[in-house]
Amino acid sequence: GQQLNQSPQSMFIQEGEDVSMNCTSSSIFNTWLWYKQDPGEGPVLLIALYKAGELTSNGRLTAQFGITRKDSFLNISASIPSDVGIYFCAGRRLASGGNQFYFGTGTSLTVIP
Amino acid sequence: DADVTQTPRNRITKTGKRIMLECSQTKGHDRMYWYRQDPGLGLRLIYYSFDVKDINKGEISDGYSVSRQAQAKFSLSLESAIPNQTALYFCATSDFGLAGGGGTQYFGPGTRLLVL
């Protein structure tokens, strides 16, 4: 199955620094989603993007739907220790009868106090 | 209360045993999915269902079966469990979503399965 190209795979940053990660695909999507997953838990939706060029914020998080519809990025400003976790991107495309979702392999974020 | 629930949260079983993982949702979504997650491999789709009478295989359906008992319930069965089915399993739901927007997916908390 198709996986999205997500980078970087891991990041180690100091508390207070900004973080940026992105996802790219060879195919276009109708929706881009960003999730955070804590160990042993399910992914939790952070931001959903529905239109090319859309820029959406959720607190210290900002994400954008790329103009080409083939990419998206997520920024976290002024990181704090509770930002630690794995961040996943997902793209949605309409298939016959409904939605198909494709996932990135995740960015593991470590915040050093 | 959680919108998507999974039972059990943890399960240990032996090779050859049949087991069932259950998923329930209160979001009113028609579409439900089962994924497995392995370290370094991300989420892989096992089966999905777009409504009660619709069942579709995902990319790794071999060794699994599903049942959509109602709009709110979607269960995953391992017919004869084997060790390489040890993984974290997630159920998810989504609304319909038109080409121009919508279509957001919500995950359950996961079931950690160990096959000995």
Side-chain angles (χ1 to χ4, degrees):
Chain A
Q2 179 180 351
Q3 293 282 333
L4 303 178
N5 298 312
Q6 185 172 348
S7 64
Q9 285 188 322
S10 62
M11 302 182 73
F12 294 81
I13 62 169
Q14 292 288 139
E15 182 177 359
E17 290 184 350
D18 296 343
V19 173
S20 183
M21 60 192 78
N22 68 81
C23 271
T24 61
S25 171
S26 57
S27 305
I28 62 173
F29 289 104
N30 303 112
T31 302
W32 281 94
L33 307 168
W34 284 94
Y35 294 88
K36 182 190 178 200
Q37 185 177 21
D38 292 324
E41 300 295 329
V44 174
L45 183 67
L46 300 173
I47 293 178
L49 302 158
Y50 301 117
K51 296 180 181 179
E54 179 181 355
L55 184 70
T56 297
S57 293
N58 178 8
R60 294 178 295 105
L61 279 61
T62 302
Q64 186 160 28
F65 193 141
I67 292 291
T68 64
R69 296 170 63 192
K70 295 182 179 181
D71 62 340
S72 177
F73 73 76
L74 174 70
N75 286 343
I76 305 173
S77 63
S79 59
I80 59 178
S82 62
D83 290 334
V84 167
I86 299 178
Y87 292 80
F88 288 98
C89 63
R92 177 191 74 89
R93 180 184 305 129
L94 278 181
S96 57
N99 299 311
Q100 290 281 13
F101 292 86
Y102 303 87
F103 292 87
T105 50
T107 295
S108 176
L109 178 64
T110 301
V111 180
I112 303 167
Chain B
D1 288 340
D3 294 319
V4 185
T5 58
Q6 292 182 234
T7 56
R9 291 296 312 275
N10 296 279
R11 178 74 182 269
I12 300 174
T13 192
K14 294 182 179 180
T15 297
K17 293 291 186 180
R18 182 180 189 277
I19 67 165
M20 179 183 290
L21 310 182
E22 299 188 3
C23 176
S24 295
Q25 54 113 348
T26 59
K27 297 193 75 67
H29 291 166
D30 287 329
R31 287 148 178 78
M32 299 187 73
Y33 309 76
W34 275 103
Y35 294 90
R36 68 177 276 177
Q37 185 177 45
D38 300 276
L41 292 180
L43 288 158
R44 292 185 292 168
L45 182 64
I46 305 172
Y47 270 95
Y48 60 101
S49 169
F50 288 155
D51 64 43
V52 175
K53 297 180 181 179
D54 178 77
I55 300 290
N56 304 281
K57 291 183 178 180
E59 63 178 296
I60 54 165
S61 59
D62 287 349
Y64 301 95
S65 63
V66 291
S67 175
R68 186 77 183 269
Q69 301 94 323
Q71 186 207 37
K73 296 184 182 297
F74 192 37
S75 60
L76 175 71
S77 294
L78 282 67
E79 300 302 324
S80 178
I82 56 177
N84 76 0
Q85 291 178 313
T86 293
L88 193 52
Y89 289 84
F90 290 105
C91 173
T93 75
S94 74
D95 53 10
F96 177 72
L98 301 176
T104 303
Q105 199 169 49
Y106 301 88
F107 286 83
T111 294
R112 188 173 297 278
L113 176 66
L114 174 60
V115 182
L116 300 175

